[in-house]
């Protein structure tokens, strides 16, 4: 089906970025938006995150061809129930949630009669809210679609074409596999950042001011990730529990092996791992998945490769 009217539910970082990107890159589309917070709706109007920011979810979706839920994964079901009776029967429903199996189940429960094509744009920052979005967020980033087995190819194609217009590259994946992959590339790294920042702030023999003063030694890069939205990330861990626990088991084993290498003075093992990880960093840059966007001054480091 051809998509002409898109409704965005939740106008924070992701919803706002979709609105701005669609208005800039897909001018033929009409974008409506809704957020449950009146202050967010006001800010969204002021920033032009949608052509029309509605005061009810029902008004936002009533003529939509595609509805995209951009709320925390734990809020997907309630948000979908909020407009279920007003949703056109032919509208495709999608989302941007960071975990896919639980969201697919939640949306299927709330909207049993509509086509549901879940999606996850693997793009974000540590910021949240209606002022955080920007039109380039999805440029050259991957958007993973996890359609159910019985999804109509035309619906998958419509959602895929929408994300391509926003500048993203699209990949189709099984939801369970998505949850495992993202556990290791996104969820565990966030858990490690939250934990190390928590550990440092709880130390008794190193003062808090020392931790902050000497953070350029590496700690500050963890603080950027650990500043991510608490509600969003609480929901991710509660909703992708089994994949996260599986990957965490693997990570704990590897951490124990590193602990042993240090205790035994096994420099070769440390050097081997650190050389392999350097190559991964190079590959990330070569693939275009890191760039010089200003986030926490990292742009300076990218511009000056000699900087530590
Ligand atoms: P955000 O900036 O906090 O925006 C979410 C917005 O949704 C908030 O304004 C929130 O309002 C609103 N909301 C919550 N429940 C609602 C409901 N029932 N109806 C309408 N609006 C509701 O969050 P975000 O970073 O855009 O994340 C949104 C989704 O994108 C999450 O599922 C997340 O997993 C996914 N995602 C995030 C990133 C990232 O890096 N941030 C990347 C990829 C995917 P309140 O503040 O009142 O709750």
């Amino acid at each position: 089906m051809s998509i002409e009217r898109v409704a965005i539910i939740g106008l924070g970082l992701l919803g706002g970025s979709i609105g701005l990107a669609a208005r800039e890159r897909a001018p033929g589309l009409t974008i409506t938006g809704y957020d449950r917070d009146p202050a967010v709706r006001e800010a969204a109007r002021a920033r032009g995150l949608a052509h029309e920011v509605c005061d009810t979810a029902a008004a936002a979706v009533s003529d939509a061809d595609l509805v995209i839920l951009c709320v925390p994964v734990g809020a997907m079901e309630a948000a979908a129930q909020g407009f279920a009776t007003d949703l056109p029967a032919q509208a495709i429903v999608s989302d941007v949630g960071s975990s896919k199996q639980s969201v697919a189940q939640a949306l299927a429960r709330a909207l049993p009669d509509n086509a549901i094509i879940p999606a996850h744009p693997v793009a974000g920052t540590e910021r949240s809210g209606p002022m955080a979005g920007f039109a380039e967020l999805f440029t050259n980033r991957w958007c993973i679609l996890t359609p159910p087995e019985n999804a109509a190819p035309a619906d998958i194609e419509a959602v895929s074409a929408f994300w391509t217009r926003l500048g993203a590259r699209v990949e189709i994946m099984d939801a369970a596999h998505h949850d495992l992959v993202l556990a290791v590339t996104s969820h565990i790294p966030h858990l490690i950042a939250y934990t190390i920042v928590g550990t440092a702030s709880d130390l008794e023999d190193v003062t808090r001011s020392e931790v902050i003063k000497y953070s350029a030694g590496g700690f500050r890069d963890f603080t950027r990730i650990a500043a991510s939205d608490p509600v969003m990330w609480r929901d991710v861990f509660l909703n992708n529990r089994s994949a996260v626990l599986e990957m965490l088991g693997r990570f704990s084993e590897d951490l124990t092996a590193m602990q042993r290498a240090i205790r035994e003075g096994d420099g070769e093992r440390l050097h081997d791992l650190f050389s392999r990880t350097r190559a991964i960093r190079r590959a990330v840059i070569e693939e275009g998945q890191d760039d010089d966007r200003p986030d926490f001054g990292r742009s300076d480091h990218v511009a000056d490769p000699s900087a530590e």
Side-chain angles (χ1 to χ4, degrees), residues 121-134:
V122 186
T125 74
E126 66 279 21
R127 307 228 165 87
S128 55
M131 305 309 287
F134 53 99

Side-chain angles (χ1 to χ4, degrees), residues 9-15 34-37 40 70-73 75-76 79 96-98 120-121 123-125 128-129 229 232 236:
I9 306 298
L11 293 168
L13 170 67
L14 267 287
Y34 167 76
D35 193 287
R36 67 175 180 181
D37 183 342
V40 171
C70 302
V71 302
V73 288
M76 292 284 177
V96 294
S98 304
H120 177 201
T125 74
S128 55
D229 191 74
M232 172 191 154
V236 168

Side-chain angles (χ1 to χ4, degrees), residues 157-177:
E157 181 46 39
V159 177
S160 174
F162 174 77
W163 280 104
T164 305
R165 289 184 80 180
L166 265 48
R169 299 195 261 168
V170 174
E171 184 119 321
I172 310 246
M173 208 181 272
D174 170 69
H177 189 63

